């Protein structure tokens, strides 16, 4: 007897679209008590393409991606690995996003401040991101940023981004 209070999934693999793949494992604890519910998610691999991303955004988020195609097209292949854990009031996550134009390492912590507002803090660091497809010249940008703020109803959202542009390359000019 008793109540099963834990859900665990190992090596979940979901294939979708022409070549997209999601491989992850997760554990959810204290399912029967939302006040103490906790979870852990490991994304071993998420792979898709810019074309399939546009299709998913259109189909599931109802976003008209015709205007986005020029922005997301250069991303090409998109791969993500990362992990997150937390409760219904706190999330700590980090991961690495690799695309055809560059890579981002991201870490974030989100704490519930109220029923509809969250404190957000994090760090974003990039490899040189190729901007060629966007500005028509050989160019790249590398950044190291910290993000802090509150996300809530539109009038109460306040995000501060601080950091450095570690390098800029434009045509034959480099600034490091």
């Amino acid at each position: 007897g008793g109540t099963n209070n834990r859900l665990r999934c190992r090596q979940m693999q979901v294939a979708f679209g022409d070549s997209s793949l999601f491989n992850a494992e997760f554990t959810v604890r204290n399912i029967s008590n939302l006040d103490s519910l906790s979870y852990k998610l490991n994304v071993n691999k998420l792979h898709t393409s810019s074309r399939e991303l546009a299709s998913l955004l259109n189909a599931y988020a109802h976003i008209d991606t015709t205007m986005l195609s020029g922005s997301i097209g250069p991303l090409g292949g998109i791969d993500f690995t990362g992990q997150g854990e937390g409760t219904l009031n706190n999330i700590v996550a980090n991961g690495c996003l690799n695309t055809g134009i560059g890579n981002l390492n991201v870490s974030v912590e989100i704490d519930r401040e109220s029923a509809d507002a969250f404190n957000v803090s994090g760090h974003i660091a990039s490899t040189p991101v190729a901007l060629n497809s966007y500005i028509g010249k050989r160019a790249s940008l590398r950044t190291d940023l910290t993000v802090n703020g509150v996300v809530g109803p539109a009038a109460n959202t306040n995000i501060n981004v601080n950091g450095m542009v570690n390098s800029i390359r434009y045509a034959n000019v480099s600034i490091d």
Side-chain angles (χ1 to χ4, degrees):
T3 302
N4 186 354
N5 216 13
R6 184 176 76 167
L7 174 65
R8 176 182 241 165
C9 179
R10 293 185 186 147
Q11 297 303 317
M12 174 178 67
Q13 189 159 303
V14 178
F16 54 96
D18 292 333
S19 63
S20 295
L21 176 69
F22 177 69
N23 177 288
E25 42 197 58
F26 67 88
T27 303
V28 182
R29 290 187 165 85
N30 300 319
I31 295 170
S32 61
N33 182 353
L34 293 181
D35 290 333
S36 61
L37 181 137
S38 65
Y39 64 88
K40 185 170 186 173
L41 169 69
N42 288 317
V43 177
N44 300 319
K45 180 176 187 173
L46 171 59
H47 172 79
T48 192
S49 67
S50 57
R51 183 179 57 78
E52 288 186 5
L53 176 62
S55 177
L56 287 169
L57 288 172
N58 190 18
Y60 297 105
H62 307 291
I63 295 172
D64 180 4
T65 56
T66 54
M67 292 174 40
L68 292 176
S69 61
S71 298
I72 63 176
L75 297 176
I78 301 166
D79 292 289
F80 176 81
T81 58
Q83 52 274 332
E85 60 183 284
T87 66
L88 295 179
N89 294 312
N90 174 271
I91 300 169
V92 176
N94 60 68
C96 184
L97 177 69
N98 300 311
T99 73
I101 64 168
N103 307 326
L104 293 177
N105 289 309
V106 179
S107 61
V108 65
E109 182 167 356
I110 303 170
D111 288 305
R112 181 182 302 274
E113 182 178 269
S114 66
D116 61 354
F118 298 88
N119 290 314
V120 177
S121 62
H123 182 248
I124 303 168
S126 74
T127 62
V129 175
L131 303 175
N132 312 20
S133 300
Y134 301 105
I135 62 175
K137 299 260 188 210
R138 195 176 117 212
S140 66
L141 177 71
R142 186 168 58 95
T143 62
D144 192 352
L145 307 171
T146 57
V147 178
N148 292 291
V150 176
V151 176
N156 295 327
T157 296
N158 183 7
I159 301 289
N160 298 305
V161 179
N162 296 301
M164 294 179 40
V165 172
N166 299 74
S167 67
I168 299 174
R169 296 194 188 336
Y170 181 75
N172 294 327
V173 177
S174 294
I175 302 171
D176 289 315

